Amino acid sequence: MRVRAALELPAAPRTLASIRLWRRGDRALLLAVAALTAFGLVMVFSASEVQGWLWFHNPAYYFERQLMWLALGVILLFAGANLDYHRLRPLAWPLGVVTVVLMVLVLLPHFGVEVNGARRWLRLGPLQMQPAELAKIAAIIFMALWLERHRDRLSSLEDGVVPFLALLGFTILLVILERDLGTTMIVAGILLAQFLVAGGRKRHVLLLALIIALCVYLFIRMEPYRLHRILAFIDPWSDPLNSGFQAIQSVVALGSGGFAGLGLGHSIQKYQWLPFAHTDFIFAIVGEETGLLGTSAVLGLFGLFAYRGYRVALKAPDAFGSLLACGVTTWIALQALINIAAVTVTLPTTGIPLPFISYGGSSLAIALLAVGILINVSTQSEKVGWIRHASIDLGRRNGRTLVPGDRRRAGAVAERT
Amino acid sequence: MRGVQELEPRSRILTLMALILSAYLVLLGRLAYWQVWRHDDMARLASAYHDDTITLPAVRGNILDRNGALLVSNTPVFSIFASPDQISARERQDIAGKLAPLLEVTPDAIQAKLATTRKFVYLARRVPASVAQQLDKLRLPGVGKVAETQRSYVDGGVNGSTLAANLLGFANDDGIGNYGVEGYYDKVLHGQDGFEATVKDLANRPIVLSDRQRRDPVDGASLQLSLDGTIQVVAERALADGVQKYQAESGSLIIMEPTTGRIVAWADVPSYNANQFATTPTSQFIDPIVSNLYEPGSVMKVVTLSGALDDHAITPDTRFNETGVAVVGGVAIRNWDNRAHGNVTMTQVLQNSLNVGAIKAQQLEGAGPFYQYLQKFGIGAPTGVDVAAETAEPLRDLTKWKPVELATASFGQGVDTTAIEMLAAVNVVATGGNLVWPHVVDQVIDSNGTRHPVQPRVVRQVISPKAAQQMQQMMIGVVEHGSGFAARIDGFKNRIAGKTGTASIPENGSYAKDETIGSFVGFVPADHPQFIMLVITRKPKVLFEGAYVAAPIWKTVASALITQWQIAP
């Protein structure tokens, strides 16, 4: 009884941050991420033990590194969750500038590390990180701020669409210079989603999507290896030992797992049959070891994440929060989509990791930081969020010029700009 | 607002959510497609990639002599391999430089093998364990070793060759027996290989998993020969000495237990080193004792006269006037000494190896019986000796023989036989009338250690014991009073029965003038022999007759065997 009484007390100012998070944050979302990350850790161990042994004589080599990064990621998650997301506003510009600098630095031979023919990695002491990961989160924050401020002009071609296109183009250019088609598509997807939610016109979104598609097409034509990937995707069995090898080994792993899988740790494809078994193609090993049960559970958790994430966006108290939530959710959901689509040979291979699951420390840590921001937005959610107000306003307005919807913080900011 | 109705913000987010979740539903469909609908296909494809069967080789059986001494055994050796795909171009020179002195090859040769992208290449086959140990100390990346076994053969009586090399044959790198006993008993020695079904990785390395199919190998049986290693060494040395002394091209020597047919020694000169079969010319592997045909010459007179005695066409004391020449079918045939010997007995015919006398005996007997006795003595038929590659030249049908051919056949010309065949034929006299199956393997010892003795076999009775005894006496006369004088051994007066032979070598239809095959066959003690020995020397240059060339070799080995086996007169 005394315990219950204590719980029913109003939250003390000094309550432990984690307890406050648990009480006020989106628990389902947090659980989904925790489950994905924990399962990912198990799968990283299983999928990487062969390569760890062969290359480093330590089956836990990759697991240990992933664990270190996870520790950092958990810290970042709590930091993000406990930092009022409104305080990210002043960070948007500096973060953007730092990211741009890093993105340029990584292209320089002295700083960038080349892995598998692409210069995407930056060495920081013993660790390596991909600035492109940071770019995603920086772009989300920056664009959330920019869109919030230009919300009322988004429907205008010259005041809204063209400046947005310029920003989008600049961001994409930076990512594309790293020859990273997957990340390019994800960044484009995130920014377009934010643009749509912020009030961009449907026809403009479609137009922009068309432009991006055209760029992607040109991009593919530019590099012969990308064309090969496409051809391998269309008919992997035409060249099973070279261009089709990855795709075939991927579906062989998935397919041989069947409904219930071979059992955790019992993958055979991880014995060097499937390239990138612990990174981009870890989901195939998930399928081999845990079967359709495991893969559909992972897919379900990502679905739950998307549902809860967009729900946070719906209930956010202001446009900035809503756009942040929308950006983070779209990022994770889209990246999982593209990765699983590649593993199931539904879309061509683009070489991006599966969030929370694939081996890759900086990617995991930054994804968890983004989840932290999302959780913080969820702790401030209201029954009738900014969106509902905006919708009601829009309904009420019904044809009149768009006026800032929210009468509170978000509105105030919007009026200021 | 213009024509298009814009979405309200709430439904924009819901639209995104719907897009993502419906895309996930599509992926769920794809997952179900691969993992349920295509599961069987993919599982089959996976096992095609992964499954592998490893052969678990059975250990090849040993070969022992009659006293249990190892003649052939397996020694552990190592093969050195590299995985060039795991060695970078920079490391090649270093690795080649360190390996070259160890493997006794040039660094360039190693570098050439490493300069590929293959996953596996042998750098050296079958090096001793000491080399493998030194290799371990070098700790070279991408270089490894596999344990194998190698057949090893003991040294023979002659430098540069292994003991009884032609008789034993050898097992090659794949463990397959070639020639001799190794060839004849290959399946018995090899045993049954086992297998293990495993799963392999991309580089064909087996993955250690708990559930795998396995059948254990059944090791090969060992063979205990009737061969006496000690006597074999003596025989090889004596034969080599004789061959060298008389500058013969080659020589062969076989010793057998008369009643059982068990081979005691089996020597060939020149022979070879079975441990280095890979660098030996193939022609040296052939065993002349079973694979070479020769015309036996006067040794055949034993067969001719034995048959005639058994047929009662003659007795040892049958007399006739020997004129030194026999004219058969218009062809004049003379004795070896071109002399007439006057009134002689059949015993003297054999003692002095008179061709005219042998023709007389054959003619007294008649063509049909003579031919039948040739067949009964096993002339022209393989003996069935348990050694690979035995040959035989079947006798032509009797109707195709001209009288002169029958006449020359009576003293061993124009009839092709093998050495083992002639030994078995003369042995009929030694056994008291029986043709006995000659064989080398005395016991088969299976992998459990159970011994399976090989039973001696009498093929048939050829002549009566009485005829055999008469012939024994005649053959004693050969040694005591005739051409076999060189085979006499102190203390064995009238105890040694023998016969010399000097055959011409047919070349292009006529006989080469100075090329002969000298042979001597004899058994001791004459009336209950412990051994029979045939010695053949081919193309001696110093002396030509078997009496001078083969008989002394026979005597040397027989003396040693009498001492070794403590044979009483």
Side-chain angles (χ1 to χ4, degrees):
Chain A
M1 288 308 286
R2 288 183 60 183
V3 173
R4 173 168 289 185
L7 282 174
E8 279 165 2
L9 283 171
R14 287 283 170 199
T15 319
L16 268 174
S18 50
I19 294 178
R20 202 168 62 239
L21 277 185
W22 184 246
R23 257 194 235 151
R24 303 215 47 202
D26 191 323
R27 269 173 253 173
L29 191 132
L30 204 57
L31 282 175
V33 170
L36 285 169
T37 309
F39 183 62
L41 204 57
V42 173
M43 288 313 300
V44 161
F45 186 91
S46 175
S48 73
E49 58 170 348
V50 174
Q51 191 162 327
W53 172 252
L54 283 176
W55 290 12
F56 304 102
H57 273 255
N58 175 11
Y61 179 88
Y62 293 98
F63 174 76
E64 286 162 3
R65 268 145 196 81
Q66 187 78 345
L67 205 58
M68 274 162 47
W69 277 104
L70 177 61
L72 177 66
V74 170
I75 294 168
L76 287 177
L77 188 147
F78 275 96
N82 283 297
L83 178 76
D84 182 0
Y85 70 86
H86 296 101
R87 292 167 72 177
L88 291 173
R89 278 202 185 106
L91 279 179
W93 271 100
L95 193 62
V97 169
V98 167
T99 305
V100 169
V101 169
L102 288 178
M103 296 289 282
V104 174
L105 266 185
V106 80
L107 296 173
L108 304 176
H110 187 68
F111 298 95
V113 180
E114 202 171 296
V115 177
N116 299 326
R119 208 180 284 284
R120 295 174 192 167
W121 297 83
L122 208 57
R123 189 179 284 283
L124 301 168
L127 302 171
Q128 292 183 357
M129 71 160 292
Q130 293 200 53
E133 296 296 329
L134 192 63
K136 285 179 208 157
I137 208 160
I140 288 170
I141 296 170
F142 188 88
M143 205 48 88
L145 184 68
W146 189 88
L147 285 169
E148 183 192 50
R149 291 184 179 169
H150 295 75
R151 197 152 38 94
D152 50 344
R153 282 164 277 166
L154 286 185
S155 54
S156 138
L157 199 61
E158 55 269 37
D159 289 343
V161 178
V162 172
F164 174 74
L165 186 60
L167 279 171
L168 183 70
F170 177 70
T171 316
I172 284 177
L173 184 72
L174 279 175
V175 185
I176 239 174
L177 280 175
E178 290 183 26
R179 304 167 174 218
D180 190 342
L181 189 61
T183 307
T184 307
M185 283 164 62
I186 291 164
V187 170
I190 295 168
L191 298 190
L192 274 183
Q194 285 182 307
F195 179 71
L196 179 71
V197 170
R201 285 186 153 196
K202 207 165 56 174
R203 66 166 74 146
H204 292 153
V205 173
L206 290 175
L207 182 71
L208 289 168
L210 207 66
I211 292 171
I212 291 167
L214 196 70
C215 290
V216 166
Y217 173 75
L218 290 174
F219 191 64
I220 289 168
R221 292 307 300 264
M222 230 161 58
E223 293 273 353
Y225 85 88
R226 296 205 180 87
L227 196 63
H228 280 137
R229 278 186 178 176
I230 306 284
L231 293 176
F233 160 71
I234 292 167
D235 184 11
W237 271 271
S238 67
D239 190 6
L241 292 178
N242 294 304
S243 59
F245 188 77
Q246 178 84 58
I248 289 176
Q249 297 304 331
S250 178
V251 293
V252 163
L254 271 183
S256 57
F259 183 74
L262 303 177
L264 266 183
H266 283 74
S267 161
I268 295 163
Q269 287 290 93
K270 69 187 178 187
Y271 287 89
Q272 296 195 299
W273 289 100
L274 176 66
F276 308 108
H278 62 300
T279 57
D280 299 347
F281 279 80
I282 196 166
F283 193 66
I285 303 296
V286 172
E288 190 185 3
E289 295 195 345
T290 64
L292 185 63
L293 290 175
T295 52
S296 54
V298 169
L299 194 63
L301 286 171
F302 277 113
L304 177 64
F305 179 90
Y307 167 70
R308 299 301 293 194
Y310 285 125
R311 198 164 163 272
V312 171
L314 279 172
K315 296 195 162 199
D318 49 32
F320 184 61
S322 186
L323 288 171
L324 277 179
C326 180
V328 171
T329 308
T330 307
W331 164 19
I332 301 296
L334 190 61
Q335 187 165 332
L337 173 70
I338 292 176
N339 179 282
I340 295 175
V343 169
T344 54
V345 196
T346 311
L347 288 175
T349 305
T350 49
I352 55 162
L354 184 61
F356 310 125
I357 307 229
S358 283
Y359 173 76
S362 62
S363 151
L364 174 68
I366 292 174
L368 289 176
L369 172 64
V371 171
I373 293 170
L374 189 56
I375 295 291
N376 184 267
V377 177
S378 78
T379 57
Q380 305 191 28
S381 63
E382 297 178 355
K383 268 229 162 70
V384 180
W386 159 80
I387 290 284
R388 184 60 65 84
H389 287 295
S391 301
I392 294 164
D393 285 349
L394 196 70
R396 238 188 252 141
R397 207 168 56 240
N398 204 12
R400 282 185 286 145
T401 22
L402 197 71
V403 287
D406 202 354
R407 281 163 294 272
R408 289 172 305 165
R409 267 180 297 203
V413 173
E415 277 156 17
R416 254 201 338 261
T417 40
Chain B
M1 289 234 115
R2 280 171 294 168
V4 181
Q5 176 66 46
E6 281 301 321
L7 295 167
E8 54 169 328
R10 178 183 163 80
S11 41
R12 286 163 193 252
I13 291 183
L14 291 176
T15 305
L16 280 178
M17 194 193 288
L19 277 175
I20 291 283
L21 292 181
S22 48
Y24 281 6
L25 277 178
V26 172
L27 290 183
L28 188 64
R30 285 293 280 176
L31 287 171
Y33 169 76
W34 289 118
Q35 303 199 273
V36 179
W37 183 256
R38 296 289 302 276
H39 167 62
D40 290 343
D41 295 346
M42 294 299 117
R44 211 174 301 124
L45 205 53
S47 67
Y49 283 126
H50 303 155
D51 293 355
D52 196 12
T53 301
I54 296 173
T55 304
L56 304 172
V59 177
R60 198 172 172 86
N62 294 327
I63 301 179
L64 307 98
D65 87 341
R66 68 160 58 204
N67 303 314
L70 274 177
L71 302 178
V72 185
S73 56
N74 304 304
T75 44
V77 287
F78 293 89
S79 284
I80 312 297
F81 67 89
S83 307
D85 64 322
Q86 290 178 22
I87 299 172
S88 69
R90 278 177 285 115
E91 294 169 321
R92 276 181 207 145
Q93 198 178 356
D94 179 50
I95 290 175
K98 285 178 179 164
L99 273 178
L102 197 59
L103 304 181
E104 294 169 354
V105 290
T106 62
D108 289 346
I110 297 179
Q111 279 213 45
K113 284 182 177 173
L114 296 181
T116 62
T117 54
R118 291 166 58 191
K119 292 187 185 301
F120 186 93
V121 61
Y122 276 120
L123 297 179
R125 295 297 305 266
R126 289 154 205 272
V127 298
S130 59
V131 173
Q133 277 176 358
Q134 284 176 275
L135 180 88
D136 286 346
K137 283 181 197 149
L138 289 176
R139 292 181 167 273
L140 298 174
V143 178
K145 63 179 198 294
V146 280
E148 294 181 50
T149 57
Q150 184 175 30
R151 264 330 226 185
S152 64
Y153 300 86
V154 299
D155 287 341
V158 180
N159 272 346
S161 64
T162 47
L163 194 74
N166 297 73
L167 169 69
L168 295 176
F170 60 89
N172 67 11
D173 278 344
D174 299 324
I176 296 169
N178 283 275
Y179 302 99
V181 173
E182 291 264 32
Y184 190 91
Y185 286 98
D186 184 44
K187 285 209 172 82
V188 176
L189 287 165
H190 186 276
Q192 193 182 28
D193 287 339
F195 69 84
E196 183 159 11
T198 63
V199 182
K200 68 186 180 200
D201 75 358
L202 188 61
N204 281 331
R205 285 171 295 220
I207 300 169
V208 181
L209 293 172
S210 54
D211 48 344
R212 38 189 170 172
Q213 265 192 303
R214 187 187 156 98
R215 191 190 72 197
D216 287 328
V218 179
D219 288 344
S222 291
L223 302 177
Q224 180 151 33
L225 308 187
S226 51
L227 203 78
D228 186 320
T230 316
I231 297 305
Q232 175 74 18
V233 170
V234 171
E236 287 182 8
R237 283 200 186 128
L239 184 64
D241 289 348
V243 163
Q244 193 187 20
K245 186 172 171 189
Y246 303 110
Q247 294 174 33
E249 190 182 272
S250 65
S252 295
L253 185 156
I254 325 163
I255 305 175
M256 186 169 79
E257 290 177 10
T259 47
T260 59
R262 298 196 295 199
I263 302 288
V264 176
W266 180 298
D268 285 291
V269 170
S271 190
Y272 64 97
N273 186 337
N275 292 320
Q276 287 162 10
F277 65 86
T279 54
T280 304
T282 316
S283 60
Q284 292 196 31
F285 299 142
I286 292 164
D287 187 349
I289 292 173
V290 288
S291 300
N292 280 12
L293 293 167
Y294 78 116
E295 296 190 0
S298 303
V299 172
M300 187 63 100
K301 285 172 187 153
V302 173
V303 173
T304 306
L305 297 187
S306 296
L309 285 170
D310 188 56
D311 208 22
H312 305 292
I314 60 165
T315 68
D317 301 320
T318 300
R319 289 182 171 275
F320 73 105
N321 187 28
E322 209 270 321
T323 58
V325 62
V327 179
V328 184
V331 180
I333 302 168
R334 295 171 194 283
N335 287 327
W336 59 277
D337 54 1
N338 281 326
R339 280 172 53 197
H341 294 258
N343 190 7
V344 292
T345 60
M346 280 297 163
T347 303
Q348 287 168 310
V349 165
L350 196 70
Q351 277 171 18
N352 298 315
S353 201
L354 304 175
N355 293 348
V356 175
I359 294 169
K360 182 76 183 173
Q362 183 265 314
Q363 286 172 342
L364 286 172
E365 189 183 10
F370 170 69
Y371 182 82
Q372 280 168 11
Y373 275 107
L374 286 184
Q375 286 182 317
K376 283 170 84 176
F377 271 92
I379 303 300
T383 62
V385 66
D386 48 351
V387 172
E390 187 188 11
T391 188
E393 175 72 23
L395 292 174
R396 285 167 295 149
D397 200 76
L398 179 60
T399 56
K400 289 177 182 156
W401 289 62
K402 294 178 204 157
V404 67
E405 287 171 336
L406 286 166
T408 58
S410 71
F411 56 90
Q413 268 191 15
V415 183
D416 284 325
T417 62
T418 61
I420 191 75
E421 204 177 300
M422 280 319 289
L423 180 74
V426 176
N427 190 47
V428 169
V429 178
T431 58
N434 290 331
L435 182 68
V436 170
W437 169 58
H439 61 282
V440 181
V441 172
D442 189 34
Q443 293 188 348
V444 176
I445 307 166
D446 68 23
S447 54
N448 302 324
T450 312
R451 288 171 177 266
H452 306 275
V454 175
Q455 296 302 328
R457 221 164 52 226
V458 171
V459 179
R460 69 179 83 88
Q461 187 178 0
V462 179
I463 56 173
S464 64
K466 186 177 172 231
Q469 200 200 346
Q470 287 173 337
M471 179 49 73
Q472 285 167 11
Q473 291 303 317
M474 290 166 78
M475 287 174 73
I476 290 171
V478 170
V479 175
E480 297 303 327
H481 312 293
S483 60
F485 58 88
R488 290 176 202 152
I489 295 172
D490 287 347
F492 280 79
K493 189 164 173 62
N494 290 327
R495 305 302 292 144
I496 300 173
K499 181 71 193 86
T500 57
T502 307
S504 303
I505 300 173
E507 273 174 18
N508 305 323
S510 66
Y511 288 98
K513 222 172 171 206
D514 296 336
E515 294 190 339
T516 58
I517 294 178
S519 58
F520 184 84
V521 61
F523 48 89
V524 183
D527 53 355
H528 56 96
Q530 300 296 300
F531 68 89
I532 178 170
M533 184 193 323
L534 171 65
V535 178
I536 297 177
T537 52
R538 301 180 188 87
K539 301 186 186 176
K541 300 263 180 326
V542 177
L543 290 164
F544 302 110
E545 273 112 8
Y548 300 106
V549 183
I553 300 173
W554 189 95
K555 181 187 171 182
T556 308
V557 179
S559 305
L561 186 52
I562 285 166
T563 311
Q564 181 79 23
W565 282 11
Q566 301 175 352
I567 296 171

